[in-house]
Amino acid sequence: MEFNLQATASGTAARAGKITTDHGEILTPVFMPVGTLGSVKGVHQHELRDDINAQIILGNTYHLYLRPGIDILQRAGGLHRFNGWERPILTDSGGFQVFSLSANRKLTEEGAHFRSHIDGSKHLFTPEGVVDIERAIGADIMMALDECPPGDCDRSYATRSLALTHRWLARGWKRYTETEGLYGYSQAYFPIVQGASFADLRRESAKYVADFGADGNAIGGLAVGEPTEVMYEMIEVVNDILPTDKPRYLMGVGTPINILEAIDRGVDMMDCVMPTRNGRNGMLFTANGTMNMRNRKWADDFSPIDPDGPSYVDRVYTKAYLRHLFISQELLAMQIASIHNLAFYLWLTREARRHIMEGDFATWKADMVQRMSQRL
């Protein structure tokens, strides 16, 4: 994997770059749709590729390990062949999912012991084992196994957790460097910076992570309950240390405004389930604010859904029609809303990139944040 920094924005840390993988190029900053089980909920692969123009999607190691299972994925020739997605894929290590199962998991030096949320069966994720699983899945970018501490954890917990994450990283990195991909193309491996909401721990972790010289680095453990301003502060602290010639991936964040604030602070890659999850519940993100599509006010509004944003769904559907579908509990409502929200997120990051390249990102971003803060 290669990363080329192409432009920076005056007065901010925002950057535009290009990641090159064996499955294609990724222009940054970029939002990555979440396809937990090898599927972005409610969206066909051809829509992701041709209409939304997603450059890269995510899969989740925990969920894919449980279903369909690593044997099936390996026999299929990896996730790309299994789900028909020909562009890059990134896999989370599954750590966040394991650690969210607080009642059904136990952390040890060896790894994370957990019970399946499907049938209660017992499993173990080790740093080495997760590398092997991600090799079998065949992602272009693999994440290290880490512990994601709660946003409100105390310093003692955060310190112990960070030390464990660093020890696991050293083991995972060793396994990664001693093995090769199974399908004839290269796979990158990103360490994850942790440290909760403690700036000194974040600095310690960023320095430790940077020393591995990996193809890219991730920032984890944010948007997990801490105040938004603390999240922004931690991003700044970490990005002051992470190398500028490697992509920076902020995991699991967030709202459109969060996305722009992260880009402003030097983040290159982002993902979140919010576009599809909120869309399925009738919330749409637009260039002029958020809309609850079940509101009566849209019943006879025959204007485009988002006239100032992406054009895909607006070529066909109006606010009135989409509201009708939601009120009628038609499945198409959830599909249209998911596609729209994903199209909006990807449009937003493409626009951010364009304004970085053109030199007016700070002005554009301030205007967009103000507009998107409204509830329509």
Side-chain angles (χ1 to χ4, degrees):
M1 194 192 87
E2 296 180 358
F3 176 68
N4 295 311
L5 187 60
Q6 297 174 314
T8 56
S10 176
T12 79
R15 339 139 10 109
K18 180 175 72 172
I19 299 170
T20 304
T21 76
D22 288 344
H23 279 101
E25 295 180 348
I26 306 161
L27 300 179
T28 64
V30 64
F31 180 81
M32 304 179 288
V34 177
T36 301
L37 282 157
S39 164
V40 177
K41 283 183 170 52
V43 184
H44 291 104
Q45 262 76 321
H46 71 83
E47 290 166 327
L48 285 169
R49 181 185 62 245
D50 301 329
D51 299 318
I52 299 172
N53 192 25
Q55 301 176 72
I56 176 174
I57 63 172
L58 269 66
N60 183 265
T61 295
Y62 167 85
H63 289 282
L64 291 169
Y65 163 79
L66 293 176
R67 291 189 296 205
I70 299 308
D71 177 62
I72 293 293
L73 289 171
Q74 195 162 343
R75 286 162 58 191
L79 184 57
H80 288 90
R81 291 188 177 179
F82 187 64
N83 72 355
W85 179 254
E86 299 173 348
R87 295 180 180 180
I89 295 176
L90 181 150
T91 43
D92 188 357
S93 68
F96 180 81
Q97 285 69 32
V98 168
F99 303 129
S100 68
L101 303 170
S102 57
N104 294 304
R105 54 89 170 167
K106 178 182 179 182
L107 304 184
T108 68
E109 191 66 35
E110 183 182 13
H113 301 258
F114 64 95
R115 288 185 178 272
S116 164
H117 71 285
I118 300 168
D119 59 11
S121 56
K122 294 181 179 180
H123 303 271
L124 169 65
F125 273 0
T126 66
E128 298 86 354
V130 165
V131 170
D132 295 343
I133 293 169
E134 292 186 275
R135 288 288 197 197
I137 293 172
D140 299 88
I141 301 174
M142 312 186 301
M143 306 306 300
L145 181 65
D146 64 331
E147 182 188 0
C148 180
D152 60 353
C153 70
D154 61 27
R155 184 179 183 83
S156 176
Y157 186 102
T159 302
R160 294 194 306 273
S161 172
L162 182 60
L164 181 63
T165 286
H166 286 177
R167 293 194 298 273
W168 282 357
L169 172 57
R171 289 166 51 191
W173 180 260
K174 183 174 185 293
R175 183 61 146 250
Y176 167 71
T177 57
E178 292 175 347
T179 58
E180 295 182 354
L182 304 179
Y183 309 116
Y185 55 85
S186 63
Q187 294 176 278
Y189 184 75
F190 283 20
I192 302 174
V193 175
Q194 288 289 354
S197 297
F198 301 95
D200 60 328
L201 296 183
R202 286 282 177 178
R203 291 190 189 95
E204 175 189 339
S205 187
K207 291 174 182 175
Y208 183 81
V209 159
D211 284 346
F212 281 85
D215 288 322
N217 301 292
I219 307 170
L222 294 176
V224 290
E226 80 284 353
T228 302
E229 291 307 317
V230 172
M231 176 177 71
Y232 296 154
E233 179 190 353
M234 293 304 103
I235 294 171
E236 292 176 6
V237 165
V238 169
N239 281 347
D240 278 345
I241 296 170
L242 291 181
T244 58
D245 61 345
K246 304 291 178 66
R248 301 157 174 168
Y249 164 32
L250 178 61
M251 305 178 72
V253 180
T255 68
I257 292 175
N258 292 158
I259 296 290
L260 290 189
E261 295 293 353
I263 291 171
D264 187 281
R265 290 161 172 81
V267 168
D268 305 297
M269 307 163 68
M270 294 136 288
D271 77 287
C272 191
V273 297
M274 187 172 286
T276 48
R277 178 177 291 171
N278 286 30
R280 293 194 302 273
N281 289 300
M283 175 178 282
L284 264 65
F285 299 100
T286 80
N288 294 302
T290 57
M291 297 190 298
N292 181 346
M293 295 313 301
R294 290 188 172 87
N295 283 352
R296 174 66 181 80
K297 67 187 295 184
W298 310 123
D300 58 354
D301 187 331
F302 306 109
S303 64
I305 292 172
D306 188 9
D308 295 323
S311 62
Y312 170 59
V313 297
D314 296 333
R315 292 199 298 266
V316 181
Y317 307 115
T318 65
K319 297 182 181 76
Y321 179 63
L322 184 54
R323 179 188 184 271
H324 157 70
L325 294 179
F326 270 110
I327 295 301
S328 304
Q329 299 183 2
E330 285 287 332
L331 295 178
L332 183 58
M334 294 186 285
Q335 185 175 14
I336 292 172
S338 296
I339 292 171
H340 167 81
N341 280 350
L342 285 174
F344 176 74
Y345 268 63
L346 270 72
W347 171 84
L348 186 67
T349 51
R350 284 195 298 268
E351 284 293 288
R353 173 184 168 84
R354 180 170 71 86
H355 286 282
I356 292 169
M357 300 288 282
E358 292 178 357
D360 63 346
F361 171 78
T363 303
W364 171 83
K365 176 226 163 185
D367 177 61
M368 284 301 301
V369 168
Q370 182 177 16
R371 289 164 59 188
M372 293 188 303
S373 299
Q374 303 178 84
R375 286 194 173 268
L376 302 178

